[in-house]
Amino acid sequence: MGRALEELRSSLYNELKTSEGAKRQQQRFCGPVVAMSFNFVVAVGIILANKLVMGRVGFNFPIFLTLIHYAVAWILLAFFKSLSLLPMSPPSKTTPFSSLFSLGAVMAFASGLANTSLKHNSVGFYQMAKIAVTPTIVLAEFVLFKKTISSTKVMALAVVSLGVAIATVTDLEFNLFGALVAVAWIIPSAINKILWSNLQQQANWTALALMWKTTPFTVFFLLALMPWLDPPGVLLFKWDWGNSSAILVSALLGFLLQWSGALALGATSATSHVVLGQFKTCVILLGGYVIFGSDPGFVSICGAVAALAGMSVYTWLNLPGKSVDYSSSKLLPKQNTAVSKPKADSDDVGGESGVALLSVELDLSKTTTANIV
């Protein structure tokens, strides 16, 4: 038994020494079901953690909290690298530096603008902006990669978006600055998911290797955004043991969220990841009604049920052999190392990012933040 475990460890260690081997191991152990389930569980956990940090602890600096998440992720990745546990990156010639730099920058803007939008908009307006990400991804993938999806999938996605809108959009208070921020956030959010998905599926990148390369750029841009988007007074915050521990737990969950989100994007598609996010919203809403007796209203419940029905149809359409509607596969600039597509989502060649604060829809309250991926 001991010898078998040692041989397995040695085999995994050797596989991590090449980007192709590391990619095979990621696909072997983290298929679509595992990756998306992992992302769902961590997302619910960080919703609770961020609710504690932003509510009870009173840490009202969402950009700085996001920065802490990425900084902790970078430290953990450096630790993995020091132990030779970080998967090997593909050769630099297969992915231009500009692609990695762009992804790191887009992650920072997607995270920062999401939190600023949540701060300045009503929850309903914020949810409407989130729903707009789905058609933006479909349009962007068509423009960039000539990718098309079938009319049945378009109809399923429309039902999902309409159901989520009915379930969650209860107020639409308009604020010009908030509206501009929300509109500005939609494109970075969509591009972020598309890049995460495509770089993993077309250039032999694993989630951890891509996180290691892009996180420094994200940290840099978050530092630049913090003076503009966060209120003053972060140095005056009470950094005692209890508050610091809560923030650290949130940061550790943020790392897991970034990793699980990247795995999900690599195993499925940008569109499927958005649908997963909307699934979380509906499950939280219905779970609160069934388990805790909350009353979101009959209309909201009907919207959530309709959205779940649309998600079921979309998932069924993506099962192997149900449809093949990917018309062409255009690589990112200067990327020519291809790997076989996962079987889970016939829609995609191919992410919001790694940590970013995920949309915290528990209670749909503004005391929480938004963490991607």
Side-chain angles (χ1 to χ4, degrees), residues 100-150:
L100 300 175
F101 181 82
S102 299
L103 178 55
V106 166
M107 280 196 292
F109 280 98
S111 305
L113 292 176
N115 291 312
T116 305
S117 174
L118 190 61
K119 179 180 178 181
H120 290 280
N121 289 312
S122 65
V123 174
F125 200 95
Y126 175 76
Q127 289 292 335
M128 287 297 291
K130 284 186 64 182
I131 292 169
V133 173
T134 303
T136 303
I137 288 176
V138 174
L139 177 61
E141 290 188 321
F142 174 75
V143 172
L144 295 175
F145 308 112
K146 304 303 180 186
K147 173 188 169 183
T148 60
I149 64 175
S150 65

XYZ file of all heavy atoms in Angstrom, residues 100-150:
382
model
N -1.450 37.669 -20.975
C -1.416 37.505 -19.522
C -1.603 38.847 -18.820
O -2.340 38.949 -17.823
C -0.093 36.867 -19.097
C 0.197 35.485 -19.681
C 1.591 35.016 -19.266
C -0.857 34.477 -19.227
N -0.951 39.884 -19.337
C -1.082 41.220 -18.754
C -2.526 41.704 -18.864
O -3.090 42.262 -17.905
C -0.146 42.197 -19.465
C -0.186 43.596 -18.918
C 0.545 43.937 -17.796
C -0.962 44.567 -19.542
C 0.508 45.232 -17.288
C -1.013 45.858 -19.039
C -0.278 46.193 -17.913
N -3.134 41.484 -20.020
C -4.519 41.911 -20.232
C -5.468 41.197 -19.282
O -6.381 41.820 -18.717
C -4.941 41.655 -21.680
O -4.141 42.386 -22.580
N -5.261 39.883 -19.100
C -6.129 39.130 -18.195
C -5.992 39.642 -16.766
O -6.995 39.816 -16.058
C -5.795 37.642 -18.255
C -6.590 36.729 -17.317
C -8.089 36.905 -17.518
C -6.204 35.276 -17.521
N -4.767 39.895 -16.322
C -4.572 40.425 -14.973
C -5.236 41.771 -14.784
O -5.875 42.028 -13.749
N -5.135 42.642 -15.795
C -5.756 43.964 -15.707
C -7.275 43.859 -15.719
O -7.967 44.521 -14.929
C -5.275 44.836 -16.867
N -7.796 43.015 -16.603
C -9.248 42.859 -16.710
C -9.826 42.305 -15.411
O -10.913 42.709 -14.975
C -9.601 41.952 -17.908
C -11.050 41.500 -17.837
C -9.354 42.680 -19.216
N -9.110 41.381 -14.768
C -9.580 40.844 -13.487
C -9.738 41.952 -12.452
O -10.715 41.987 -11.701
C -8.614 39.787 -12.966
C -8.780 38.434 -13.592
S -7.957 37.139 -12.625
C -6.244 37.578 -12.867
N -8.757 42.856 -12.397
C -8.818 43.940 -11.417
C -10.013 44.857 -11.690
O -10.749 45.232 -10.772
C -7.516 44.732 -11.446
N -10.212 45.215 -12.954
C -11.322 46.109 -13.283
C -12.670 45.423 -13.089
O -13.635 46.038 -12.620
C -11.175 46.608 -14.721
C -10.189 47.725 -14.864
C -8.896 47.475 -15.280
C -10.547 49.028 -14.563
C -7.964 48.501 -15.395
C -9.638 50.072 -14.676
C -8.333 49.811 -15.096
N -12.752 44.136 -13.444
C -14.009 43.412 -13.257
C -14.378 43.362 -11.776
O -15.537 43.588 -11.397
C -13.892 42.001 -13.829
N -13.390 43.088 -10.929
C -13.644 43.002 -9.486
C -13.958 44.372 -8.902
O -14.932 44.546 -8.165
C -12.422 42.421 -8.774
O -12.050 41.192 -9.323
N -13.118 45.360 -9.234
C -13.294 46.695 -8.672
C -14.599 47.344 -9.087
O -15.327 47.906 -8.251
N -14.923 47.269 -10.375
C -16.154 47.886 -10.848
C -17.388 47.154 -10.326
O -18.433 47.766 -10.091
C -16.163 47.920 -12.375
C -15.132 48.856 -13.020
C -15.170 48.727 -14.538
C -15.380 50.298 -12.600
N -17.278 45.818 -10.133
C -18.412 45.064 -9.572
C -18.749 45.562 -8.177
O -19.918 45.799 -7.834
C -18.085 43.575 -9.545
N -17.733 45.741 -7.358
C -17.966 46.180 -5.987
C -18.430 47.627 -5.926
O -19.265 47.995 -5.099
C -16.694 45.990 -5.168
C -16.380 44.532 -4.955
O -17.235 43.759 -4.589
N -15.141 44.148 -5.210
N -17.885 48.464 -6.826
C -18.324 49.855 -6.869
C -19.777 49.937 -7.330
O -20.560 50.742 -6.818
C -17.423 50.660 -7.823
O -16.061 50.501 -7.422
C -17.785 52.128 -7.788
N -20.134 49.109 -8.290
C -21.526 49.064 -8.752
C -22.460 48.644 -7.635
O -23.535 49.228 -7.444
C -21.647 48.085 -9.932
O -22.994 47.912 -10.317
N -22.058 47.642 -6.864
C -22.886 47.171 -5.752
C -23.046 48.254 -4.689
O -24.078 48.348 -4.028
C -22.261 45.918 -5.140
C -23.097 45.149 -4.114
C -24.390 44.660 -4.746
C -22.306 43.983 -3.558
N -22.017 49.086 -4.557
C -22.049 50.142 -3.546
C -22.964 51.294 -3.958
O -23.673 51.868 -3.124
C -20.628 50.671 -3.308
C -20.545 51.800 -2.288
C -19.108 52.254 -2.105
C -19.031 53.412 -1.118
N -17.625 53.887 -0.948
N -22.971 51.657 -5.241
C -23.675 52.856 -5.689
C -25.026 52.573 -6.325
O -25.777 53.513 -6.603
C -22.801 53.627 -6.683
C -21.599 54.266 -6.062
N -21.659 55.458 -5.371
C -20.305 53.863 -5.995
C -20.460 55.776 -4.930
N -19.617 54.827 -5.295
N -25.358 51.308 -6.593
C -26.628 50.970 -7.218
C -27.530 50.213 -6.256
O -27.056 49.618 -5.292
C -26.409 50.105 -8.466
C -25.807 50.899 -9.613
O -26.269 51.979 -9.943
N -24.763 50.364 -10.221
N -28.813 50.226 -6.572
C -29.714 49.337 -5.851
C -29.374 47.904 -6.249
O -28.767 47.656 -7.301
C -31.172 49.643 -6.222
O -31.414 49.349 -7.588
N -29.778 46.948 -5.412
C -29.487 45.545 -5.708
C -30.144 45.127 -7.024
O -29.562 44.385 -7.819
C -29.974 44.642 -4.547
C -29.815 43.174 -4.913
C -29.186 44.953 -3.284
N -31.343 45.642 -7.279
C -32.035 45.296 -8.514
C -31.280 45.738 -9.753
O -31.143 44.986 -10.725
N -30.763 46.967 -9.724
C -30.000 47.463 -10.873
C -28.711 46.663 -11.034
O -28.282 46.359 -12.157
C -29.685 48.950 -10.694
C -29.335 49.648 -11.977
C -30.305 50.319 -12.696
C -28.042 49.630 -12.461
C -29.996 50.955 -13.887
C -27.718 50.258 -13.649
C -28.703 50.932 -14.368
N -28.090 46.325 -9.915
C -26.864 45.517 -9.965
C -27.135 44.154 -10.589
O -26.357 43.647 -11.401
C -26.319 45.363 -8.540
C -25.120 44.451 -8.430
C -23.867 44.876 -8.840
C -25.241 43.159 -7.905
C -22.759 44.045 -8.742
C -24.145 42.330 -7.799
C -22.913 42.788 -8.218
O -21.823 41.953 -8.122
N -28.268 43.547 -10.222
C -28.624 42.247 -10.785
C -28.894 42.342 -12.286
O -28.530 41.448 -13.053
C -29.856 41.684 -10.070
C -29.607 41.229 -8.644
C -28.722 40.001 -8.586
O -28.653 39.234 -9.517
N -28.035 39.830 -7.468
N -29.517 43.420 -12.724
C -29.762 43.605 -14.149
C -28.445 43.671 -14.919
O -28.321 43.126 -16.021
C -30.572 44.889 -14.378
C -32.023 44.782 -13.957
S -32.957 43.541 -14.890
C -33.010 44.312 -16.500
N -27.457 44.344 -14.349
C -26.149 44.413 -15.007
C -25.518 43.028 -15.089
O -24.904 42.665 -16.104
C -25.233 45.372 -14.237
N -25.676 42.229 -14.031
C -25.143 40.867 -14.049
C -25.795 40.025 -15.136
O -25.127 39.253 -15.835
C -25.362 40.189 -12.689
C -24.414 40.643 -11.602
C -24.611 39.812 -10.345
C -24.264 38.365 -10.601
N -24.489 37.514 -9.425
N -27.094 40.181 -15.278
C -27.810 39.416 -16.298
C -27.325 39.788 -17.692
O -27.251 38.950 -18.595
C -29.333 39.654 -16.157
C -29.837 39.012 -14.854
C -30.095 39.090 -17.351
C -31.248 39.408 -14.486
N -26.950 41.055 -17.880
C -26.484 41.517 -19.191
C -25.153 40.889 -19.592
O -24.769 40.960 -20.768
C -26.359 43.035 -19.187
N -24.447 40.278 -18.643
C -23.163 39.649 -18.970
C -23.355 38.468 -19.935
O -22.529 38.233 -20.821
C -22.447 39.181 -17.685
C -21.193 38.366 -18.020
C -22.060 40.381 -16.830
N -24.471 37.737 -19.784
C -24.693 36.550 -20.619
C -24.746 36.881 -22.108
O -23.960 36.324 -22.894
C -25.974 35.818 -20.188
O -25.873 35.467 -18.810
C -26.177 34.559 -21.021
N -25.621 37.797 -22.561
C -25.606 38.124 -23.994
C -24.303 38.779 -24.438
O -23.905 38.631 -25.602
C -26.798 39.076 -24.160
C -27.083 39.607 -22.797
C -26.709 38.508 -21.858
N -23.638 39.486 -23.524
C -22.356 40.110 -23.882
C -21.313 39.052 -24.199
O -20.530 39.198 -25.149
C -21.862 41.008 -22.731
O -22.859 41.986 -22.430
C -20.567 41.717 -23.114
N -21.289 37.962 -23.426
C -20.348 36.873 -23.687
C -20.647 36.226 -25.033
O -19.741 35.977 -25.843
C -20.402 35.827 -22.559
C -19.758 36.387 -21.292
C -19.685 34.533 -22.975
C -19.858 35.463 -20.098
N -21.928 35.955 -25.287
C -22.308 35.331 -26.561
C -21.888 36.209 -27.732
O -21.317 35.735 -28.724
C -23.831 35.075 -26.595
C -24.256 34.576 -27.970
C -24.218 34.058 -25.530
N -22.131 37.528 -27.633
C -21.764 38.456 -28.705
C -20.250 38.558 -28.844
O -19.717 38.530 -29.963
C -22.364 39.836 -28.417
C -22.010 40.950 -29.417
C -22.523 40.592 -30.809
C -22.587 42.294 -28.958
N -19.537 38.657 -27.718
C -18.077 38.805 -27.762
C -17.417 37.568 -28.361
O -16.466 37.684 -29.161
C -17.533 39.069 -26.358
N -17.891 36.374 -28.017
C -17.305 35.162 -28.566
C -17.587 35.034 -30.062
O -16.773 34.487 -30.813
C -17.818 33.936 -27.813
C -17.282 33.848 -26.406
C -17.632 32.554 -25.709
O -18.762 32.065 -25.888
O -16.782 32.026 -24.964
N -18.724 35.570 -30.496
C -19.018 35.560 -31.934
C -18.085 36.518 -32.671
O -17.527 36.189 -33.725
C -20.471 35.955 -32.183
C -20.806 36.096 -33.645
C -20.975 34.976 -34.448
C -20.940 37.360 -34.219
C -21.270 35.105 -35.803
C -21.228 37.503 -35.564
C -21.389 36.370 -36.361
N -17.880 37.711 -32.101
C -17.023 38.717 -32.746
C -15.561 38.281 -32.738
O -14.858 38.388 -33.748
C -17.187 40.084 -32.050
C -16.163 41.083 -32.578
C -18.596 40.621 -32.246
N -15.097 37.759 -31.599
C -13.674 37.424 -31.459
C -13.318 36.079 -32.070
O -12.227 35.926 -32.642
C -13.289 37.426 -29.974
C -13.380 38.774 -29.249
C -13.095 38.584 -27.758
C -12.415 39.789 -29.842
N -14.200 35.089 -31.931
C -13.851 33.726 -32.326
C -14.811 33.105 -33.339
O -14.696 31.931 -33.658
C -13.798 32.822 -31.079
C -12.935 33.355 -29.989
C -13.483 33.786 -28.795
C -11.562 33.464 -30.160
C -12.691 34.296 -27.781
C -10.759 33.978 -29.147
C -11.324 34.394 -27.966
N -15.770 33.920 -33.838
C -16.763 33.424 -34.793
C -17.526 32.220 -34.245
O -17.905 31.314 -34.976
C -16.090 33.041 -36.129
C -15.284 34.160 -36.760
C -16.138 35.400 -36.996
C -15.314 36.519 -37.626
N -16.084 37.775 -37.732
N -17.722 32.199 -32.950
C -18.429 31.097 -32.306
C -19.927 31.376 -32.285
O -20.362 32.473 -31.954
C -17.923 30.913 -30.882
C -18.716 29.911 -30.082
C -18.278 29.922 -28.642
C -19.253 29.113 -27.793
N -18.905 29.140 -26.376
N -20.707 30.396 -32.661
C -22.162 30.540 -32.633
C -22.760 29.447 -31.754
O -22.149 28.403 -31.543
C -22.755 30.422 -34.048
O -22.426 29.140 -34.596
C -22.217 31.523 -34.949
N -23.971 29.693 -31.249
C -24.683 28.679 -30.484
C -26.059 28.500 -31.102
O -26.567 29.385 -31.804
C -24.788 29.032 -28.988
C -25.621 30.300 -28.775
C -23.416 29.207 -28.372
C -25.856 30.616 -27.312
N -26.667 27.383 -30.848
C -27.945 27.052 -31.471
C -29.070 27.919 -30.922
O -28.984 28.482 -29.827
C -28.268 25.577 -31.234
O -28.467 25.347 -29.853
